[in-house]
């Protein structure tokens, strides 16, 4: 603003037509920070505070107990089985849906999303009904020494159900957007189907795939409700990390419960960090509008 | 209404979008701000509409200082390049928007609003599209609806940002005449921004040629064509 | 040139139809469709609609179902309003720590529900940091009451509306807001009459996702709820209890009741969506 001109009245600072008054801005930012502090940050801090209440050594000792060790091991095992299967499904479904035209696509798309609107507890119930000792199939499986419910296969199945849409949902929009031209070009140049997939398709979708795998893994390792129903909670055998947290908590082993929770919270940090890094660097190669 | 622009300048950070420019526009004139992109013509239009605030200088409407007048109080009928129609509202609701936004004491009765909207739809020669949504209109129809919406607030002037920019050549020619007709009917001082010299020359009473944030020449179309003041104007006009 | 012959079954040279379609259909069937079919068969054929109604039509079951849907609706409504505000703040305003906040919004997706459950309980319990303050100043108990369930469900559903609305705000044409201002509308009116209607379809999608998620939520709720029958006992917990009693029919009936209500709600939201999208056209 120059002083050479006398501007008669300037009642208020000029505000562009697409912004709110500073007071409103400040109030909204403050509101958001307050709610997020009370809802997100405070609980997170509480986890570590409770875990370290009796010091690092005590917390770490609780992790080296056999029950805790086997829970960690089981969770890693389940994730190692579920995530690759889920990724394979996601890639296959995305390929079938985006590279071919067929009737009923929209229906299949809806069915893939179905597990999102089913309670985890109901998901667990499904497999108890199918393979539990009360069903003919289940009784036969138990008799032949291959129980599914109250055993690791049931945990894997329930986790697969819960994480079912993750990779497919991430890949389908990305592959739809990329179209078929590049694959067609590779085919005209004489590449085989698998060669086309590995040299053309996969490089184009790798970040989206990683993104989906990341979310799938986080959910697989953290699933509680569905696993609680099918696992039978046999200590040292079918107790995953989230279930172990509940057991410790109910036994008033607060430090052990919160230490285990802290480990999973660290996993969540890693997931969020990698996810954010992917979003910043490869935003154009992700289905950003569908993210969650 | 006559418009007086006194030594208006505008900086965006360290770059100057407008060097001090002055311009006087007599009441009822149809003015073209003509220039290539980056010449500052849209910035000048937005300052007149109250969408940008000048770094220095004054704007006077009928001799009264309007520099600090808020967008809402300016009553400038602004037609945007993208038309910016509200896509969740019918054409009728779009046109009625400005009247309904008035404070209660000056807001017309709803029957009166309906009457005015109908009149405006007649003026733009689209009497039957009130119930439609913008997505159901052609580009030319959208432009005319945007014009009607701006006229509904009984503006003191019309400001149009590349009003024909998004249209194909044939529709463009039809609508030029339409704009001229509406200008002549309403008698409002109208300023439109364009990069198309043919459009400016054909339509405007007064052409303001701009380049690099400066006014190169102001004059009637025939004067500019016959006696270009600078090399830039000569080249731009002959292109 | 290796010209591939066209076959009638697959009128495209693209390879991998059989394999990809086969994997997709097999896994979809084994993991999702057959188990869901078994549930419905057990309920409608094995147990019968009348038997299921008898199970559901008891005070304890009714109050659990009511609680689950009421709390989910309340939490999702909170998330609808707060989510739109947060998305707006994250897209339009600049403030220190914004990127951190943006990343943190996804925490409820990444943090296991059991962790969230015990953590929220720790701070909202009567002896917790916030719990004690709230009790002392307002005389309200948070944990072990319905209020605690709301908090847990708000946590769980927080990211959905933010993440669906954010990209829409990014794409709003500023000229639309400017047009409203030039027509004389105050900023408040522009926001309520122009901006919010444009965000409504996306916000509704986010609301539906949050609702679907929080109706069935179990892990984060059971720690903070107190689980008192008829008072703070949610429907998923009642299913677990029935299963522990080996009352499979009871569990099936409650599960089918939950699914039915959920799908009715989601269908209704979807219809509103289609209606509002159609109004706006494909622009």
């Amino acid at each position: 603003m120059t002083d050479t001109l006398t501007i008669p009245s300037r009642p208020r600072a000029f505000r562009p037509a697409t912004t709110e008054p500073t007071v409103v801005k400040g109030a909204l930012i403050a509101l958001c920070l307050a709610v997020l502090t009370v809802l997100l940050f405070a609980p997170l801090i509480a986890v570590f505070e409770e875990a370290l209440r009796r010091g690092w050594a005590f917390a770490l000792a609780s992790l080296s107990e056999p029950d805790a060790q086997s829970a960690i091991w089981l969770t890693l095992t389940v994730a190692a089985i579920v995530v690759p299967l889920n990724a394979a499904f996601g890639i296959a479904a995305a390929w079938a849906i985006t590279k071919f035209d067929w009737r009923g696509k929209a229906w299949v798309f809806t069915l893939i999303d179905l597990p999102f609107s089913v309670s985890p507890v109901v998901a667990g119930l499904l497999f108890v009904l199918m393979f539990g000792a009360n069903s003919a199939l289940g009784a036969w499986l138990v008799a032949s020494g291959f129980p599914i419910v109250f055993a690791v296969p049931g945990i894997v199945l329930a986790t697969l159900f819960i994480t079912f849409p993750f990779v497919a949902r991430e890949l389908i929009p990305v592959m739809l957007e990329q179209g078929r031209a590049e694959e067609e070009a590779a085919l005209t140049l004489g590449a085989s189907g698998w060669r086309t997939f590995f040299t053309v398709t996969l490089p184009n979708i790798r970040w989206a795939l990683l993104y989906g795998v990341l979310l799938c893994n986080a959910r697989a390792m953290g699933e509680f409700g569905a696993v609680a129903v099918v696992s039978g909670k046999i200590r040292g055998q079918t107790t995953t990390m989230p279930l172990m947290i509940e057991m410790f908590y109910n036994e008033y082993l607060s430090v052990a419960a919160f230490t285990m929770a802290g480990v999973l919270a660290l996993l969540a940090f890693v997931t969020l960090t990698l996810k954010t890094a992917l979003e910043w660097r490869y935003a154009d190669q992700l289905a950003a509008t569908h993210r969650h | 209404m006559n418009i007086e622009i006194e030594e208006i300048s505008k900086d965006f950070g360290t770059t100057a979008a407008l060097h001090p420019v002055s311009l006087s526009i007599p009441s009822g004139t149809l003015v073209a701000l003509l220039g290539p992109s980056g010449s500052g013509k849209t910035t000048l239009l937005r300052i007149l509409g109250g969408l940008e605030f000048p770094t220095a200088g004054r704007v006077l409407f009928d001799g009264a200082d309007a520099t600090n007048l808020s967008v809402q109080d300016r009553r400038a009928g602004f037609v945007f390049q993208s038309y910016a129609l509200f896509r969740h509202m019918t054409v009728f609701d779009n046109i009625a928007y400005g009247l309904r936004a008035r404070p209660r004491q000056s807001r017309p009765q709803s029957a009166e609003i309906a009457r005015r909207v109908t009149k405006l739809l007649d003026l733009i020669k689209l009497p039957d599209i009130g119930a439609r949504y913008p997505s159901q209109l052609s580009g030319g129809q959208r432009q005319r609806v945007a014009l009607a919406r701006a006229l509904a607030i009984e503006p003191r002037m019309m400001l149009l940002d590349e009003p024909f920019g998004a249209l194909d050549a044939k529709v463009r020619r039809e609508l030029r005449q339409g704009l001229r007709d509406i200008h002549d009917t309403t008698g409002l001082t109208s300023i439109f921004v364009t990069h198309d010299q043919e459009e400016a020359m054909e339509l405007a009473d007064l052409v303001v040629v701009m380049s690099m944030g400066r006014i190169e020449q102001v004059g009637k179309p025939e004067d500019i064509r016959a006696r270009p003041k600078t090399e830039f104007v000569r080249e731009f006009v002959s292109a | 040139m290796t010209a591939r012959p066209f076959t009638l079954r697959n009128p495209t040279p693209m390879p991998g139809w059989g394999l990809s379609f086969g994997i997709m259909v097999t896994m979809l069937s084994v993991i999702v469709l057959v188990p869901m079919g078994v549930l419905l068969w057990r309920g409608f054929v094995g147990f019968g609609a009348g038997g299921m109604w008898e199970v559901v039509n008891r005070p304890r079951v009714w109050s659990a179902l009511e609680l689950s849907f009421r709390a989910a609706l309340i939490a999702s409504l909170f998330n609808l309003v707060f989510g739109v505000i947060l998305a707006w703040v994250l897209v339009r305003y600049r403030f220190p720590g914004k990127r951190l906040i943006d990343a943190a919004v996804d925490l409820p997706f990444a943090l296991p529900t059991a962790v969230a459950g015990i953590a929220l309980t720790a701070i909202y319990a009567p002896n917790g940091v916030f719990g004690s303050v709230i009790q002392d100043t307002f005389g309200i108990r948070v944990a072990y009451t319905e209020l605690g369930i709301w908090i847990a469900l708000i946590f769980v559903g927080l990211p959905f509306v933010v993440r669906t609305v954010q990209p829409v705000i990014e794409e709003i044409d500023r000229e639309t807001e400017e047009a409203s201002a030039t027509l004389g509308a105050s900023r408040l009116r522009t926001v309520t009459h122009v901006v919010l209607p444009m965000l409504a379809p996306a916000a509704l999608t986010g609301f539906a996702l949050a609702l679907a998620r929080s109706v069935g939520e179990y892990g984060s709720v059971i720690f903070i709820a107190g689980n008192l029958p008829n008072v703070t006992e949610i429907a998923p917990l009642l299913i677990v209890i029935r299963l522990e009693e080996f009352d499979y029919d009871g569990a099936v009936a409650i599960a089918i009741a939950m699914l039915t209500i959920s799908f009715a709600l989601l269908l209704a939201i979807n219809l509103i969506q289609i209606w509002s999208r159609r109004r706006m056209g494909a622009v």
Side-chain angles (χ1 to χ4, degrees):
Chain A
M1 314 290 135
T2 62
D3 306 332
T4 48
L5 280 165
T6 48
I7 294 166
S9 63
R10 178 159 298 172
R12 57 205 143 106
F14 176 78
R15 178 164 57 80
T18 54
T19 59
E20 288 75 46
T22 317
V23 188
V24 176
K25 269 189 197 178
L28 289 180
I29 293 173
L31 171 77
C32 289
L33 291 180
V35 172
L36 292 182
T37 304
V38 168
L39 222 53
L40 292 189
F41 301 124
L44 210 54
I45 295 166
V47 168
F48 293 102
E49 200 190 282
E50 295 285 333
L52 298 176
R53 179 149 289 195
R54 295 219 229 153
W56 280 94
F58 196 86
L60 290 176
S62 78
L63 281 182
S64 55
E65 261 188 66
D67 284 352
Q69 289 279 311
S70 92
I72 294 171
W73 189 238
L74 179 59
T75 291
L76 292 175
T77 310
V78 170
I81 299 169
V82 166
V83 174
L85 280 175
N86 197 305
F89 166 76
I91 293 168
W95 186 271
I97 285 176
T98 61
K99 302 295 176 197
F100 301 94
D101 295 311
W102 42 280
R103 280 161 158 268
K105 242 189 219 192
W107 281 99
V108 170
F109 201 56
T110 313
L111 288 177
I112 291 174
D113 260 358
L114 188 69
F116 270 155
S117 29
V118 173
S119 168
V121 168
V122 175
L125 171 69
L126 297 178
F127 296 100
V128 172
L129 290 179
M130 257 180 99
F131 301 113
N134 66 318
S135 74
L137 179 60
W140 178 77
L141 284 167
V142 172
S144 34
F146 189 72
I148 288 185
V149 169
F150 301 157
V152 177
I155 300 177
V156 169
L157 282 171
T159 311
L160 266 176
F161 182 96
I162 289 296
T163 57
F164 202 66
F166 277 96
V167 175
R169 255 182 95 89
E170 186 56 33
L171 290 186
I172 290 170
V174 170
M175 283 171 70
L176 264 185
E177 202 178 294
Q178 288 174 348
R180 303 169 190 173
E182 288 187 40
E183 281 81 7
E184 284 166 353
L187 292 172
T188 64
L189 295 169
S192 69
W194 283 113
R195 191 180 178 81
T196 303
F197 174 75
F198 280 113
T199 58
V200 176
T201 312
L202 199 57
N204 278 337
I205 61 167
R206 60 187 160 178
W207 300 118
L209 180 63
L210 182 59
Y211 191 92
V213 161
L214 209 59
L215 296 184
C216 173
N217 180 63
R219 188 70 201 263
M221 289 192 170
E223 180 49 34
F224 180 76
V227 173
V229 172
V230 292
S231 93
K233 299 178 188 168
I234 307 165
R235 262 192 129 98
Q237 283 179 41
T238 62
T239 308
T240 59
M241 289 168 77
L243 297 181
M244 205 65 233
I245 293 175
E246 188 200 19
M247 281 191 184
F248 283 145
Y249 189 82
N250 289 342
E251 290 159 12
Y252 300 102
L253 297 170
S254 173
V255 168
F258 279 98
T259 306
M260 189 67 85
V263 175
L264 285 175
L266 288 178
L267 172 77
F269 279 142
V270 174
T271 304
L272 279 189
T273 310
L274 289 175
K275 178 175 169 299
T276 309
L278 281 177
E279 278 165 8
W280 286 355
R281 289 197 55 181
Y282 303 105
D284 51 327
Q285 294 173 49
L286 300 174
T289 51
H290 297 261
R291 62 183 179 189
H292 61 256
Chain B
M1 187 183 73
N2 68 55
I3 298 168
E4 210 64 51
I5 294 166
E6 285 183 357
E7 296 288 317
I8 286 280
S9 67
K10 175 73 185 173
D11 300 339
F12 289 112
T14 50
T15 53
L18 280 179
H19 299 286
V21 295
S22 297
L23 181 66
S24 161
I25 298 168
S27 190
T29 330
L30 179 54
V31 182
L33 296 180
L34 174 67
S37 63
S39 59
K41 55 192 193 308
T42 297
T43 305
L44 185 56
L45 192 79
R46 286 171 62 86
I47 288 173
L48 290 175
L51 293 169
E52 307 277 358
F53 195 78
T55 308
R58 297 203 300 169
V59 179
L60 297 137
F61 293 159
D62 277 339
D65 190 334
T67 318
N68 290 314
L69 213 53
S70 73
V71 213
Q72 283 87 359
D73 299 331
R74 246 173 231 233
R75 281 195 19 239
F78 207 108
V79 175
F80 291 82
Q81 188 170 5
S82 66
Y83 312 137
L85 294 176
F86 308 129
R87 55 187 180 149
H88 60 284
M89 295 180 200
T90 60
V91 167
F92 184 98
D93 291 335
N94 262 281
I95 298 175
Y97 185 86
L99 295 172
R100 290 178 180 155
R102 284 188 185 170
R104 200 170 295 274
Q105 59 272 26
S106 59
R107 192 187 308 156
Q109 299 280 313
S110 64
E112 170 64 11
I113 291 179
R115 199 187 61 77
R116 290 202 208 173
V117 172
T118 312
K119 223 176 100 188
L120 284 163
L121 284 170
D122 288 339
L123 181 73
I124 59 168
K125 303 197 173 67
L126 293 170
D128 304 319
I129 61 159
R132 291 209 222 154
Y133 285 92
S135 60
Q136 300 166 312
L137 304 179
S138 71
Q141 290 173 324
R142 285 182 203 174
Q143 193 251 23
R144 284 187 275 171
V145 172
L147 209 56
R149 183 177 70 175
L151 285 167
I153 60 168
E154 298 166 308
R156 301 197 285 172
M157 68 200 131
M158 289 296 284
L159 303 172
L160 307 98
D161 187 6
E162 294 276 5
F164 310 104
L167 302 170
D168 59 53
K170 186 175 162 288
V171 184
R172 208 176 252 251
R173 238 165 284 129
E174 287 168 23
L175 288 186
R176 267 186 216 169
Q177 193 51 47
L179 178 62
R180 182 78 232 183
D181 290 348
I182 286 170
H183 174 261
D184 294 346
T185 323
T186 58
L188 287 167
T189 312
S190 307
I191 304 171
F192 70 98
V193 157
T194 180
H195 62 272
D196 179 344
Q197 57 91 14
E198 190 201 318
E199 193 168 282
M201 297 298 181
E202 194 181 298
L203 199 54
D205 304 322
L206 193 70
V207 175
V208 179
V209 187
M210 293 186 70
S211 164
M212 318 269 292
R214 288 194 174 83
I215 292 177
E216 296 278 329
Q217 188 172 358
V218 181
K220 291 186 175 138
E222 53 273 22
D223 290 343
I224 288 191
R225 202 168 266 146
R227 287 176 293 278
K229 259 195 206 159
T230 66
E231 192 56 29
F232 173 83
V233 176
R234 186 196 319 280
E235 271 186 28
F236 194 74
V237 166
S238 67
Chain C
M1 276 302 294
T2 54
R4 284 158 170 271
F6 274 71
T7 58
L8 278 176
R9 211 193 287 166
N10 187 13
T12 161
M14 197 69 75
W17 164 254
L19 183 66
S20 63
F21 192 77
I23 294 177
M24 181 183 75
V25 169
T26 309
M27 285 190 71
L28 189 61
S29 307
V30 171
I31 308 290
V32 180
L33 299 184
V34 173
M36 292 291 284
V38 168
L39 173 77
L40 295 179
W41 186 83
R42 270 293 298 246
F44 287 102
V45 183
F47 191 28
M52 288 201 293
W53 176 248
E54 229 167 83
V55 169
V56 173
N57 198 15
R58 280 180 201 149
R60 184 170 172 193
V61 179
W62 265 134
S63 73
L65 283 170
E66 241 185 82
L67 173 65
S68 274
F69 282 91
R70 179 177 61 233
L73 272 172
I74 290 170
S76 304
L77 281 174
F78 177 92
N79 278 330
L80 177 65
V81 176
F82 179 68
V84 170
I85 294 175
L86 182 56
W88 186 262
V89 166
L90 287 175
V91 175
R92 288 292 177 94
Y93 300 165
R94 291 170 53 178
F95 55 95
K98 176 169 145 171
R99 292 191 127 184
L100 181 77
I101 301 278
D102 197 355
V105 168
D106 282 331
L107 189 67
F109 286 152
L111 196 70
T113 52
V115 178
I118 62 168
L120 287 169
T121 312
I123 52 175
Y124 287 102
N127 58 354
V129 188
F130 296 148
S132 59
V133 173
I134 294 170
Q135 176 131 33
D136 291 346
T137 39
F138 304 106
I140 301 170
R141 277 180 54 164
V142 181
Y144 317 128
T145 68
E146 191 176 334
L147 196 56
I149 300 176
W150 297 355
I151 301 257
L153 294 183
I154 289 171
F155 175 90
V156 161
L158 183 78
F160 289 98
V161 174
V162 183
R163 292 308 184 216
T164 49
V165 169
Q166 236 174 342
V168 181
I169 297 178
E170 274 160 13
E171 274 166 30
I172 291 181
D173 182 6
R174 295 285 178 114
E175 288 196 341
T176 312
E177 289 168 60
E178 290 179 345
S180 174
T182 62
L183 295 168
S186 65
R187 184 64 188 155
L188 182 65
R189 191 179 175 90
T190 301
V191 169
T192 55
H193 284 65
V194 174
V195 174
L196 289 181
M198 288 200 282
L199 304 183
L204 208 56
T205 305
F207 173 76
L209 290 170
L211 187 68
R213 174 73 204 262
S214 43
V215 162
E217 179 56 25
Y218 176 70
S220 56
V221 176
I222 53 161
F223 295 99
I224 203 171
N227 307 327
L228 212 62
N230 295 317
V231 184
T232 54
E233 185 178 65
I234 54 167
L237 176 63
L238 203 51
I239 296 178
V240 172
I241 292 173
R242 290 285 181 266
L243 275 178
E244 280 167 0
E245 296 163 347
F246 300 105
D247 176 8
Y248 292 96
D249 286 335
V252 167
I254 302 168
I256 289 180
M258 280 187 70
L259 287 177
T260 311
I261 305 173
S262 291
F263 284 119
L265 275 175
L266 293 183
L267 188 70
I269 294 172
N270 245 317
L271 290 176
I272 300 173
Q273 287 280 31
I274 291 169
W275 171 74
S276 72
R277 284 242 157 87
R278 189 164 293 161
R279 270 182 15 144
M280 277 217 239
V283 178

